[in-house]
């Protein structure tokens, strides 16, 4: 961790204080494909499609999961500390299944988009868009569903 830039180092401290076992999944800039000064984590899951990705680059934290991702950084008009806390909140919400990933598909089965939301919003979306196939994914699988109208 000595080679991390200040932004990445501070986030790593916060992340590993909360989830110390995740140090084992960290890749640093001496790992192929990881930009200098940054950290990259792939959190394993028994279902490989549900691995959680977390990385820092360009002074932002990115959290990705099930084909969806989001960014937290100054360009959003927030401080670094707010970015760290928002990223940690998103990670917590994913792990606790407070939110799910929703992917929707066209009639040919092509992914048209995806987002993270509470599970009730996923069901509401599917009901409001008849004929759209919706796939819901949750970290532990409790809410995993394929919805078709």
């Amino acid at each position: 961790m000595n080679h991390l830039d200040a932004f990445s180092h501070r986030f790593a401290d916060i992340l590993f204080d909360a989830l110390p076992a995740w140090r084992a999944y960290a890749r640093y800039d001496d790992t192929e494909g990881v930009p200098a000064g940054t950290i990259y984590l792939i959190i394993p899951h028994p279902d490989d499609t549900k691995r959680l990705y977390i990385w820092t680059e360009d002074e932002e934290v990115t959290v990705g999961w099930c084909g969806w991702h989001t960014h937290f950084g100054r360009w959003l008009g927030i401080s670094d500390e707010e970015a760290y806390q928002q990223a940690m909140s998103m990670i917590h919400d994913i792990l606790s299944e407070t939110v799910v990933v929703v992917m929707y598909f066209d009639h040919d089965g092509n992914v048209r988009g995806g987002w993270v939301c509470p599970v009730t919003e996923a069901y509401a979306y599917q009901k409001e868009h008849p004929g759209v196939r919706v796939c819901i994914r949750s970290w532990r699988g409790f809410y995993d569903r394929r919805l078709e109208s």
Side-chain angles (χ1 to χ4, degrees):
M1 264 184 36
N2 293 337
H3 302 302
L4 294 179
D5 60 40
F7 180 92
S8 299
H9 197 281
R10 176 71 179 125
F11 179 70
D13 285 345
I14 292 168
L15 179 66
F16 297 142
D17 280 350
L19 300 159
W22 284 13
R23 280 183 190 275
Y25 306 120
R27 299 178 184 180
Y28 302 98
D29 60 12
D30 58 348
T31 306
E32 183 179 327
V34 178
T38 66
I39 188 170
Y40 187 88
L41 293 95
I42 302 173
I43 309 306
H45 191 282
D47 177 346
D48 276 345
T49 65
K50 288 186 173 183
R51 290 182 293 189
L52 181 63
Y53 297 86
I54 304 164
W55 67 95
T56 60
E57 190 172 355
D58 298 326
E59 296 191 335
E60 69 178 35
V61 178
T62 303
V63 176
W65 179 53
C66 290
W68 163 90
H69 73 276
T70 192
H71 307 272
F72 305 93
R74 280 186 226 147
W75 61 272
L76 292 169
I78 60 176
S79 70
D80 290 349
E81 289 300 318
E82 289 172 301
Y84 305 142
Q85 293 311 314
Q86 287 181 17
M88 291 301 296
S89 290
M90 179 57 67
I91 293 164
H92 175 268
D93 289 349
I94 290 169
L95 297 178
S96 66
E97 295 193 333
T98 302
V99 297
V100 296
V101 166
V102 179
M103 302 298 286
Y104 67 98
F105 303 82
D106 64 18
H107 295 290
D108 297 324
N110 301 310
V111 174
R112 303 302 299 162
W115 70 97
V116 168
C117 66
V119 70
T120 54
E121 289 181 25
Y123 288 113
Y125 178 86
Q126 198 269 338
K127 288 179 183 176
E128 294 167 6
H129 297 84
V132 174
R133 190 176 74 189
V134 174
C135 181
I136 301 171
R137 291 291 175 257
S138 62
W139 182 253
R140 293 186 303 260
F142 184 78
Y143 295 109
D144 288 5
R145 306 276 189 285
R146 289 187 187 272
L147 306 175
E148 308 218 22
S149 52

